[in-house]
Amino acid sequence: MVCRVRHRTVAALLAVVVLLPVQQSAVALPVQQSAVALPVQQSAVAAPPPAPPAPGAPASLGELVPGVPPGPYHPWPLDTPDQALAPKVYTPTAEEDAVEPWDAAAESDALIEYVPISDAVARHAGRVVCSKRTGPYQRQVERWLRRTVDGKQSPKDCVAIRRFQTRQGIRPDNGFAGPVTWARMTLLSAKRNPNAAGKCPVRTYRTACVDLTRQLTWVQQGKKVLFGPVAVRSGRAGYRTRTGRHRIYWKHKNHWSSLYNTPMPYSQFFSRGQAFHAIRGSVHNPPGSMGCVNLSLADARTLWSVLRKGDRVYLWGRRPGT
């Protein structure tokens, strides 16, 4: 009964003999324009296909696809639409709470970078090459790697980015400065002290901190970090996760949306229909959720054991692109 991000289905690119996964409502691939109606005195003609991007042209988030086919298909959406209404609250029985949500399929939350379709096709064809495209996070990645920050992809930039991707297990490691690569850098920078900027209030009680700008969450008590930081996925444009101070008002380990027939493991509701909950897929999947704060199954399971009913939740910032 809360947050949804529509699921990507597998799109067949038979013309290049390759299967590339594309999830619904995340990114639309470029298509040829259909024939257009012209005045009676002229015949209808088909518009030419759009010109391919120049080799070094900047790539936008909207044109990216997973660079590696994802894990097994799930016959349900990853999560459900935010109704802006609280779910029906009840006390689960001991028997219900004793049932643990089933594990995610192997590699369902693997670090699969989102790349231009031309890069994905090249990888599938076995051509391990450096991407010539300028990624949407080019400047941020260049700065993190302490390279010259010019926002342009160079051969040396690509080599440096590839080295980082290989060390972190990001696939494909083709040097494209995409959302997964930048998210990993953001997480690594926050590991030692996620609240270095002091944005989350330091209190004597437990507080779940959600930095929407960096797409990170952690739990702190005083200055001690009890959980995280870990990567999350918050609400997309038009369905932003509500900021401000909240409390965990209901925990439901095996929550299931009866309206959308969708599992929401380890749900912890804090603002009407918005909750922390697990997804069996990548939290780096653009463009975002429909309002909830999504975590990987492993992270959501740990967070479940850390937070209690009544614990505070503080959210600030804004997801990039919203």
Side-chain angles (χ1 to χ4, degrees):
M1 140 151 16
V2 275
C3 329
R4 167 182 64 149
V5 168
R6 307 171 189 166
H7 185 56
R8 295 187 180 233
T9 59
V10 177
L13 299 177
L14 298 180
V16 291
V17 197
V18 57
L19 286 178
L20 290 175
V22 179
Q23 298 180 343
Q24 291 180 339
S25 79
V27 242
L29 299 181
V31 295
Q32 289 188 351
Q33 299 176 1
S34 59
V36 295
L38 298 175
V40 176
Q41 64 270 23
Q42 299 181 17
S43 59
V45 294
S60 66
L61 284 172
E63 68 176 279
L64 306 184
V65 300
V68 176
Y73 167 72
H74 297 297
W76 49 72
L78 291 180
D79 45 357
T80 55
D82 174 23
Q83 306 291 297
L85 299 174
K88 182 179 180 180
V89 176
Y90 70 95
T91 302
T93 64
E95 291 77 11
E96 181 181 350
D97 272 346
V99 177
E100 289 294 327
W102 65 88
D103 288 333
E107 292 204 340
S108 62
D109 61 348
L111 296 175
I112 306 301
E113 185 58 276
Y114 289 79
V115 301
I117 193 169
S118 57
D119 286 358
V121 171
R123 182 197 178 278
H124 181 84
R127 300 194 298 273
V128 181
V129 295
C130 259
S131 176
K132 296 180 180 179
R133 299 294 300 280
T134 297
Y137 295 94
Q138 189 75 32
R139 287 183 176 277
Q140 295 94 317
V141 169
E142 289 170 345
R143 185 174 294 108
W144 199 91
L145 292 173
R146 298 181 179 180
R147 297 196 53 76
T148 300
V149 180
D150 58 8
K152 299 177 182 179
Q153 177 78 320
S154 70
K156 289 185 178 181
D157 286 340
C158 185
V159 170
I161 297 170
R162 283 195 67 188
R163 287 173 180 164
F164 173 83
Q165 292 170 332
T166 302
R167 290 196 304 268
Q168 296 298 316
I170 298 171
R171 296 178 290 158
D173 53 348
N174 68 341
F176 181 75
V180 176
T181 298
W182 175 237
R184 191 66 181 172
M185 290 176 173
T186 301
L187 177 61
L188 292 174
S189 296
K191 280 289 187 181
R192 180 171 296 181
N193 183 9
N195 200 34
K199 296 292 183 68
C200 192
V202 177
R203 300 290 186 267
T204 57
Y205 46 77
R206 281 188 303 273
T207 302
C209 308
V210 185
D211 186 336
L212 299 176
T213 302
R214 292 188 294 170
Q215 292 290 279
L216 298 174
T217 192
W218 65 92
V219 179
Q220 63 186 33
Q221 187 166 8
K223 293 184 178 180
K224 183 179 181 180
V225 176
L226 306 178
F227 166 82
V230 299
V232 297
R233 182 182 63 181
S234 65
R236 61 185 293 182
Y239 299 89
R240 285 187 295 177
T241 304
R242 288 182 281 274
T243 57
R245 301 175 187 271
H246 306 278
R247 286 177 181 259
I248 300 294
Y249 73 86
W250 190 44
K251 290 164 62 79
H252 194 199
K253 183 186 293 183
N254 292 287
H255 191 71
W256 192 287
S257 169
S258 58
L259 181 60
Y260 292 93
N261 195 30
T262 304
M264 295 173 56
Y266 301 106
S267 288
Q268 303 191 72
F269 292 90
F270 56 81
S271 177
R272 299 195 296 277
Q274 295 189 350
F276 294 109
H277 73 81
I279 58 170
R280 294 181 175 91
S282 173
V283 297
H284 304 298
N285 176 358
S289 79
M290 296 289 273
C292 282
V293 177
N294 300 154
L295 301 93
S296 72
L297 191 71
D299 290 339
R301 181 182 289 137
T302 304
L303 182 62
W304 174 270
S305 66
V306 173
L307 292 180
R308 303 288 184 270
K309 181 180 176 181
D311 280 348
R312 275 77 162 187
V313 181
Y314 183 70
L315 306 94
W316 73 95
R318 187 165 178 170
R319 177 182 171 88
T322 65

